[in-house]
Amino acid sequence: MLNSADSIKQCARLVKRQVERGDQVVVVTSALSGITDRLLKVAKDLETAKRSDARAVIDQFCDRLLEDHISVAREVADPGAKEISSKLRSLVALLKTDLAHIAGKDASARTMDRIASMGERLSTPIFAAALSSLGVRAVDLTGGEAGIVTDSNFGDAMPKMDVCRTTIKSRLESLISEGITPVVTGFAAQDESGAITTLGRGGSDYTASILGACLGVDEIWIWKDVGGIMTANPKVVSEAKTIPLISYAEAAELAYFGAKVLHPRTMGPAMQAGISIRVKDATAPDRSGTLISNGTTQVPGAVKAVTSMDDVGLISVSGTGMVGLPGVAAKVFKSLARGKVNVMMISQSSSETNITIAVKLSDIPACRRILSSAFRGDAAVREIAFDEDVSIVSVVGSGMKGTPGVAARVFKAVADAGASVIMIAQGSSEMNISFLVRKQDSARVVLSIHREFRLHQLPDA
Ligand code: ASP
Ligand code: MG
């Protein structure tokens, strides 16, 4: 949670406190707040810019970026720390080269990752300098230097865990045993050829989980500026509460369905290694926050949280000719998979005249292309319709499994909110019920469900 010089100092003090208690700590940093968005935006602007305009845009952007980071560095690090400024300068010089390279053309995913990772590459040395200024011996490392090796799926890379287990230990363990605190760039890693990769938006959490699992740490702590994982998005439901205890599976389910607190893949490595994750509020560090672990506590009413996700679209494939005809669903999903579209929800009416699919809103144009070409001239499918005005609402809690009546209460709450349900799916894990409503209804529906299950009455963390 790095919003400003003050929050860096605050987080550095939190690290120092643990080190002084005798803990061995590895720090993962995310970018200063808003920086990743700024980097992605300038890159996008440059792709379509005229080459003659690009120079000025790049210079202005990079000067500003450098100034912002140097001014934070000055506030958090010893005034004598000159190396940090020159380090920041040389990183921004690298960025300039990459930005110049993409001006006026489509940037390759590989170049985009070098650009997108720059926020963390700049914040990490600043954080290490802040620790040094507090008398904590620290060194800054990129994800690659820390031994995180991924595949080459730029933008959304996956770690090669078998490789990582060896490389991370060999890079970090000796530093740690010498009493040095490694400070590692979140989000950014490296593929086997040494090219910089990124782990997907919000990927710093994932970095922490990968490092923690490979090092076999006691606990992974993720500092945020909210109270942990909440019963609902506090921007939608002002009375949302911190969930004190949650299982890996529930947390993953919540992250996937729009609780933006954690990167959805964060739970994987920690769960496999059996390591708990604590999500804590850096602005209130003594509160316990949320503990994610194997234990599932049953809360009364079986529901832990309710989320909504607005950037989704709905596709419905219909035709009476589909009844009893094998292969239509297979064709739909095969062609979407070939087009690399991730399907979020599926349902088929039992009359078999209709298959509905929810996907990310940004995937809708691709889906239009893919499906219209796949079903051109197909007599069984009469219509393929697209709806961009929907939200997914998800109700999550492992206690729903085998508890009768939960669905009835959920849909009663939807009705109380005056909304109608467009599509429903329940995961066979019975850990969540997800359904689609009109976008303008989603906030009211979330609030109504939150009330129905009395989530606002959870005790304070
Ligand atoms: N800086 C990256 C992002 O904004 C990763 C992170 O913050 O965790 O997506
Ligand atoms: Mg970020």
Side-chain angles (χ1 to χ4, degrees):
M1 198 258 344
L2 300 178
N3 295 331
S4 62
D6 283 342
S7 55
I8 293 182
K9 282 196 217 162
Q10 159 75 348
C11 290
R13 278 193 296 267
L14 292 170
V15 173
K16 180 179 174 166
R17 184 167 86 172
Q18 294 312 126
V19 170
E20 281 175 346
R21 284 180 186 171
D23 289 345
Q24 295 175 319
V25 181
V26 176
V27 177
V28 173
T29 43
S30 62
L32 301 190
S33 121
I35 300 296
T36 313
D37 287 332
R38 272 162 62 180
L39 288 160
L40 294 176
K41 171 152 192 322
V42 77
K44 197 157 170 252
D45 291 349
L46 283 168
E47 281 182 347
T48 53
K50 283 206 225 80
R51 281 201 148 261
S52 51
D53 299 337
R55 192 73 261 167
V57 172
I58 294 170
D59 285 345
Q60 201 187 15
F61 179 85
C62 288
D63 290 351
R64 179 79 203 284
L65 189 76
L66 184 62
E67 261 168 47
D68 289 349
H69 283 84
I70 286 187
S71 86
V72 170
R74 284 215 181 95
E75 271 188 68
V76 303
D78 268 344
K82 272 209 217 85
E83 297 134 56
I84 173 83
S85 305
S86 66
K87 192 159 205 172
L88 299 177
R89 257 178 242 290
S90 49
L91 284 166
V92 172
L94 288 177
L95 174 67
K96 262 192 184 176
T97 314
D98 280 327
L99 291 176
H101 190 71
I102 63 168
K105 50 180 179 218
D106 285 344
S108 69
R110 175 190 291 262
T111 309
M112 276 310 294
D113 268 4
R114 284 207 299 270
I115 295 170
S117 62
M118 196 44 89
E120 275 73 8
R121 287 153 73 200
L122 290 164
S123 66
T124 302
I126 297 178
F127 198 89
L131 281 177
S132 305
S133 299
L134 293 178
V136 178
R137 289 169 69 208
V139 350
D140 61 287
L141 301 168
T142 64
E145 287 164 348
I148 305 180
V149 180
T150 68
D151 61 19
S152 304
N153 185 17
F154 296 99
D156 201 13
M158 286 280 254
K160 304 202 161 198
M161 290 302 280
D162 288 339
V163 183
C164 288
R165 264 186 279 277
T166 322
T167 47
I168 290 172
K169 275 203 182 126
S170 80
R171 305 281 168 81
L172 298 187
E173 273 180 349
S174 55
L175 288 173
I176 298 168
S177 61
E178 281 171 49
I180 296 172
T181 300
V183 183
V184 181
T185 57
F187 180 53
Q190 199 167 294
D191 72 3
E192 276 170 316
S193 75
I196 291 177
T197 54
T198 63
L199 303 173
R201 292 306 306 270
S204 298
D205 308 333
Y206 193 21
T207 302
S209 180
I210 297 165
L211 291 176
C214 292
L215 291 169
V217 299
D218 296 322
E219 262 188 16
I220 297 162
W221 288 12
I222 299 182
W223 294 96
K224 296 280 172 181
D225 52 5
V226 291
I229 300 183
M230 313 282 287
T231 52
N233 180 350
K235 288 189 189 125
V236 178
V237 179
S238 60
E239 54 200 22
K241 286 290 174 68
T242 298
I243 304 171
L245 264 172
I246 194 168
S247 69
Y248 296 112
E250 290 170 317
E253 202 95 9
L254 274 173
Y256 182 74
F257 284 109
K260 293 243 166 64
V261 187
L262 289 182
H263 183 296
R265 288 206 204 109
T266 305
M267 273 52 73
M271 182 169 89
Q272 268 164 16
I275 297 167
S276 309
I277 303 175
R278 229 173 246 288
V279 187
K280 284 175 69 86
D281 185 347
T283 65
D286 294 322
R287 293 224 182 112
S288 43
T290 300
L291 181 67
I292 309 173
S293 70
N294 263 330
T296 56
T297 42
Q298 306 270 329
V299 289
V303 165
K304 285 233 170 73
V306 47
T307 63
S308 62
M309 201 165 172
D310 285 339
D311 42 1
V312 288
L314 179 68
I315 306 167
S316 57
V317 179
S318 50
T320 42
M322 285 161 60
V323 181
L325 185 74
V328 177
K331 188 162 161 187
V332 170
F333 296 116
K334 215 193 256 161
S335 36
L336 291 179
R338 225 180 270 133
K340 295 221 166 12
V341 172
N342 182 34
V343 173
M344 305 177 67
M345 269 169 78
I346 306 166
S347 97
Q348 182 180 30
S349 61
S350 58
S351 69
E352 293 184 40
T353 54
N354 168 301
I355 299 171
T356 45
I357 303 157
V359 296
K360 268 212 294 228
L361 192 57
S362 56
D363 282 336
I364 287 282
C367 293
R368 280 185 201 274
R369 255 182 287 117
I370 294 165
L371 294 175
S372 70
S373 94
F375 286 95
R376 188 164 300 134
D378 189 317
V381 170
R382 275 260 308 285
E383 195 194 6
I384 304 177
F386 298 86
D387 185 342
E388 304 190 6
D389 178 41
V390 292
S391 295
I392 298 183
V393 174
S394 293
V395 182
V396 173
S398 58
M400 279 160 42
K401 193 179 173 87
T403 309
V406 177
R409 284 175 70 194
V410 168
F411 293 110
K412 176 187 167 290
V414 178
D416 288 347
S420 66
V421 174
I422 302 168
M423 165 193 180
I424 306 175
Q426 179 178 35
S428 59
S429 66
E430 286 187 49
M431 202 179 285
N432 95 66
I433 299 175
S434 298
F435 53 91
L436 260 69
V437 295
R438 289 270 149 244
K439 209 168 269 175
Q440 77 262 18
D441 292 338
S442 75
R444 252 180 309 118
V445 166
V446 167
L447 180 62
S448 175
I449 295 172
H450 200 266
R451 285 261 164 92
E452 168 65 33
F453 290 95
R454 304 194 180 289
L455 297 177
H456 60 291
Q457 288 176 355
L458 277 179
D460 282 317

